[in-house]
Each structure stands twice: as structure tokens, then as C-alpha cells.
Amino acid sequence: MIRESWTSRLGIIMAVAGSAVGLGNFLRFPSQAIQNGGGAFMIPYTIALLVLAIPLCWVEWTIGRHGGSHGHGSGPGILNSFWNHPVARYAGILGIFIPLVIYMYYVYIESWCLAFSIFSLTGSLTDAAAQSDVAQFLSSYQGVTTSDWFSSISIAYSFFLITFTINFFFIYQGVAKGIEIISKIAMPLLVIIGLLLVVRILSLSPADYLNPDWSVAKGFGFFWNPDLSALLDAKVWLAATGQIFFTASVGLGVIITYASYLRKDDDITLSSLTSISINEFLEVVIGASIAIPAAYIFFGPEGAIQIGNSGAFNIGFVTMPEVFANIPFSGLFSFIWFFLLFLAGVTSSISMLQPGVSFLEDELGCSRKRSIIYLGIFTFIGGHIVIFLLDKGALDLFDFWGGTLAIVIFATIEVIIFGWVFGVDKGFKELHRGADLQVPLFFKIIIKYVTPLYLITILAVWFYQDAVNFIPNPSDPNFYYHLFILGSLATIFATIFFAVWLGERRGAFNKDYSKEQL
Amino acid sequence: MSFAGILTMLTSMIAIISLNLFCFGKILKLNNQQMKRIKSLEEIETKDHDSTAG
């Protein structure tokens, strides 16, 4: 079987950057920074970028390209090609499980962005924003409550179906004709739209301010003025590490799959650094310059603190429409904002489907069409758990167990296999094959010692601090729902486990297509 | 906006923009070199073809 390849270096750079750039760049980052010392947040954030995100990206690109050259494009096969052992194969399940679980809730949130961009143009969202009623608008749209705007979940469900279909349309086209093309179009568009919004915020005149004291400069100051005392708080360091982890898309199983479509001697050092730098540009330069400064201008320092603490979703779906309601052409700018989030969402969500498709094609020998059908049914069923049990905490449970804790576990496994089992010297040799950029040797020490220690610490702290909140509690009125949701997650994991076992039985992990690769 | 705030903002943004310029600059340079190599190879091939034909 001949595997596909990226048609250009720019293609994979844009695809990986597209996977990394998501709602988190525009919503989660500003919210985290505001809650954790403002400008001072950038110190732990930069350290985590250097010792965690960049080394992990190099590790993932290396093991991905290596796995691809042996005919494997998903976690089980890729890790097995680095360490031919059942532990590697079965640990690799996480590289399929994580992106699929995230996809099941991410695609629903993405559909809200598409819906809200349309509602901005039709005027219903701007009407709700003008009445400061967007929170009610959102909850009735989700079917959690009812309002004059929505009496059932049917509209939200229709947008879910549209978004779900769009994702599968692109993934069906394949790596080169689908993912590469959409990423090459969406990423530059994302930068342009982001810059357009930044320019709009910067060009607000004093006449637009609700209070003469709430200026643009003060809005930026509110975000960037460093509170250095925050650096003494361990929570701030942990938050910065968490943010960098999510934003770089490491530990998801997506980068290894994308890198598996590289040719054996394609550069990875420079390409991976470029994709990270694009992601950072969209997060720190553009993401930091939109939501929080805008919220400050219209709601003042106290309002902005409240908004920052209310979390990423609230900033994106409630605050921003209310901000735009205060400026001319509010519908247009609200549309641009939600379309920006939708584009960022699409490039991320299609990347979450590819590991599953690669597994079905490479290890179980399914055709692309059949892989898409199987994956479509699987994720469609999973998506319904999130949609209909949203108010019972399905999204939060999926996000914590599948989209937070599992990511750190998978990243730890990857870096240990790379640095300790395969060997950091051999790994570095593999990393530098066809390299256009020499990685400094001290990164060997970082990859072997610092990154795994850092990851194990985060894992331990998160488990200790948060896991207890996500274990079903019999005194909770939603106890049986929580049990059902966790049971669903376990079923998803067991299904993938069974599929890997099937692949093992048919000898998929012993094949080597390296000579056949294009 | 305090002086420390301006400094933090400018340092962060300039560092990230520089990293982008470095990466894309290097990619462009490598692409140009590759194009030149392909051109010179094509020229050699044309010359070889002409001399064989002659």
C-alpha cells in the first residue's frame, strides 16, 4: 500500500499550525493570563514553551516521521515502530482515543461558532447583545433553557449536523487534497481576520469609550502590566504550563499522525519550529489583543476582571457579542469574530479525525471510504452524548478525562520512549535526518530529564487537585448520568483497544512499507 | 499602562514576531537555493542533450 504524502513543506506547517490554533488561542489564553498575574504570566509561559512545547514537538515530529516511513500513521503503529513491544502498541491507543474524544465535544462547540456567525448577520444575536441577554440566548440555543429566541435544541442540532458534515467532507478528500488545501486557505485567512479585529480594537476613538478612563491603552495595560508577586504562587506556573500544553497541540496524537505523511528525508526541525511560531503569533500577538482589551474598554477594570474569571467560553460567546453591540457595524464585527473562531475550530477538528482514519487504513486495511463511514458512525454517537447530556456535565467529563489528563499521560509515554527506550542519541540522529536547522545539544538533556520530570509533576498535581472533582459522587444528583458518561468513555477506549488487538492479530504491526513509500 | 507592562508586551511580541521572521526567512532562503539548484541542473541537462545531439 502506498501512503499519501504532503505536497509541500508549507502544507504540513500550515496543517500542524492549524491543528494547534484553536479556540484556546483567542479565548483560553487571555482568560488564563488575566487570572494569573497578567504580563507576569508570560515568564512561566515562555519557560514552559522552551522546555516542554518545543522539545515535545520535535519528539512528536520525529517519531511520527519514523512511524510513517514504516507504514504506520497512528499511535499504536508509530510507537511500536520506535519500540517493538506490546506496551508501546497498547499505549498508542491514547493517540487515537484522545483526538476522537476531543472531537466529539469540540465539533459541537465549533458548530456554535458557525451558528453565532450566522445569527450575527441575521441580527438575532446583536439584538440579544443589545439587551445584555446573550447568556440567556446561548443557554436556550443549547437547549438547556427556553427563550423567545429558541424553544428547543433543533437549531443547535442542525448546525451540529452541518459542521459534522463539513469536517468529514474535508477528511474524505485526504491529506493532500483535503487537510493541506483547507489549512493553506484557512490559516492566512485566520491571520488576516485576526489582524482586522485587532486594528478595529486599536482604532476605537475616545468617542466610543463608555467611560473616558477606560481607554485602549489602559485595556492593554490591564492585560500586560505584570503582577510579579503572582510568580510566587505555584498555581500560576501550573496554569502557564497547562496553557502551553494545550496550545501546542502536543500529546494529542495529531502531530505524530501528520508527521507520518512526511517523506523519510523531509526536514522536521525547522518545520516544527515554524508551526509553533505561527501558533504563538496567533495566541500572544493577536489573541491577547482582542478579547480582554475590548472587554476593558466597555466594561471597565472590575467588569474585565469578572469576565476574565468567568472563563474562556463566557468571553467568547457572551462578552464579545456584548462588546460588539457597542460599536458601529456590530453585526459585521460579531460575524467576523465568530467566523474567526469557526475557522480556527475547523482546522483543529479535522486534525482530530485523521489519527482514526490513518489507523483504519494502515492497520486494519480499510479503504478511505470505509474508514470514514466507521469513524463517522463512531463519533456521531459519541457527539450525541455531549449534546444531550451537556447540562449533566458530559462536556466537562469528556474534557477532563479525554482531553486533559490523557494528553499528559500520552506525552509522558512518548517522551520516555524517545529519550529512554529508543535512546536520546539515536532519537537526535533521527531528528536531524534531512534537517534544515541544527537543534542545540542541550535539548538532549531537556528531552531526557527535564521534560519527563515536568510532565510527571503536572500529571501528579492535576490528578491530586482535580481528578477527585471528576469522579462520580453518589451524593451528586447527576451521579447516574456521570456513571453513564464515564462508562461511555470506557466503551470508546475498549472499542479502540479491540481494534488494535484485531490489527495485532492480522500482523499489521510487523509490516514495513518503508520501501514502498513515495 | 505601566512601563513594566509596555516592556513585557513589546518583549513578548517582538520575540514571537522575530521567531516567525527567522523561520519563514530561512524557509524562503532554502527554497531559493533549491530553485537555483534545479535551474542549474536543468541547464546542465540541456547542454548534455545538445552535445549528444551535436
Side-chain angles (χ1 to χ4, degrees), chain A residues 263-452:
Chain A
R263 290 178 188 86
K264 226 163 74 175
D265 294 314
D266 279 347
D267 159 77
I268 49 179
T269 51
L270 180 59
S271 299
S272 78
L273 194 64
T274 310
S275 62
I276 290 191
S277 69
I278 297 172
N279 178 58
E280 288 309 307
F281 178 79
L282 278 155
E283 179 151 299
V284 178
V285 180
I286 294 182
S289 307
I290 302 176
I292 295 296
Y296 182 93
I297 293 163
F298 294 104
F299 303 108
E302 280 167 20
I305 289 172
Q306 232 174 20
I307 289 160
N309 290 336
S310 68
F313 275 128
N314 207 46
I315 292 178
F317 290 94
V318 179
T319 308
M320 288 309 285
E322 291 183 1
V323 164
F324 292 125
N326 289 295
I327 59 176
F329 303 107
S330 58
L332 178 68
F333 283 103
S334 180
F335 164 76
I336 291 173
W337 166 250
F338 284 110
F339 192 64
L340 169 93
L341 296 184
F342 176 67
L343 273 183
V346 167
T347 52
S348 299
S349 59
I350 53 171
S351 75
M352 293 164 199
L353 292 171
Q354 190 56 36
V357 174
S358 296
F359 174 77
L360 291 168
E361 287 183 338
D362 297 333
E363 320 303 0
L364 297 187
C366 297
S367 65
R368 175 154 284 264
K369 193 175 172 185
R370 190 167 279 203
S371 307
I372 298 292
I373 292 170
Y374 288 157
L375 209 64
I377 294 169
F378 196 58
T379 51
F380 191 71
I381 295 169
H384 280 69
I385 299 170
V386 176
I387 296 172
F388 293 104
L389 296 179
L390 187 71
D391 57 339
K392 309 292 180 208
L395 200 153
D396 293 336
L397 283 170
F398 268 50
D399 184 44
F400 180 75
W401 292 107
T404 307
L405 208 64
I407 292 179
V408 192
I409 296 172
F410 190 53
T412 311
I413 293 168
E414 284 177 326
V415 84
I416 288 174
I417 289 181
F418 182 93
W420 292 85
V421 181
F422 190 71
V424 76
D425 292 323
K426 262 171 86 183
F428 245 61
K429 211 173 152 192
E430 177 67 25
L431 167 69
H432 281 100
R433 187 146 45 81
D436 288 330
L437 188 76
Q438 200 65 27
V439 175
L441 285 177
F442 65 82
F443 271 102
K444 275 189 184 180
I445 298 167
I446 291 181
I447 289 173
K448 189 161 184 179
Y449 301 102
V450 183
T451 312

Side-chain angles (χ1 to χ4, degrees), chain A residues 42-121:
Chain A
M42 291 310 292
I43 295 171
Y45 180 88
T46 309
I47 292 172
L49 176 71
L50 293 174
V51 302
L52 200 66
I54 294 177
L56 269 173
C57 275
W58 279 326
V59 166
E60 291 207 338
W61 280 66
T62 309
I63 60 175
R65 186 185 61 176
H66 184 267
S69 70
H70 290 80
H72 303 286
S74 58
I78 288 174
L79 290 191
N80 188 67
S81 71
F82 244 62
W83 180 29
N84 191 356
H85 195 276
V87 170
R89 288 194 283 281
Y90 287 97
I93 291 173
L94 286 176
I96 305 169
F97 172 78
I98 296 167
L100 284 184
V101 169
I102 297 177
Y103 178 81
M104 287 169 188
Y105 62 82
Y106 200 87
V107 69
Y108 188 41
I109 300 167
E110 190 183 312
S111 74
W112 303 350
C113 300
L114 178 65
F116 274 44
S117 67
I118 306 289
F119 298 150
S120 302
L121 290 180

Side-chain angles (χ1 to χ4, degrees), chain A residues 208-228:
Chain A
D208 296 316
Y209 305 161
L210 296 186
N211 180 323
D213 268 353
W214 302 345
S215 65
V216 174
K218 283 189 176 168
F220 274 83
F222 177 74
F223 186 92
W224 286 104
N225 288 344
D227 168 16
L228 293 174

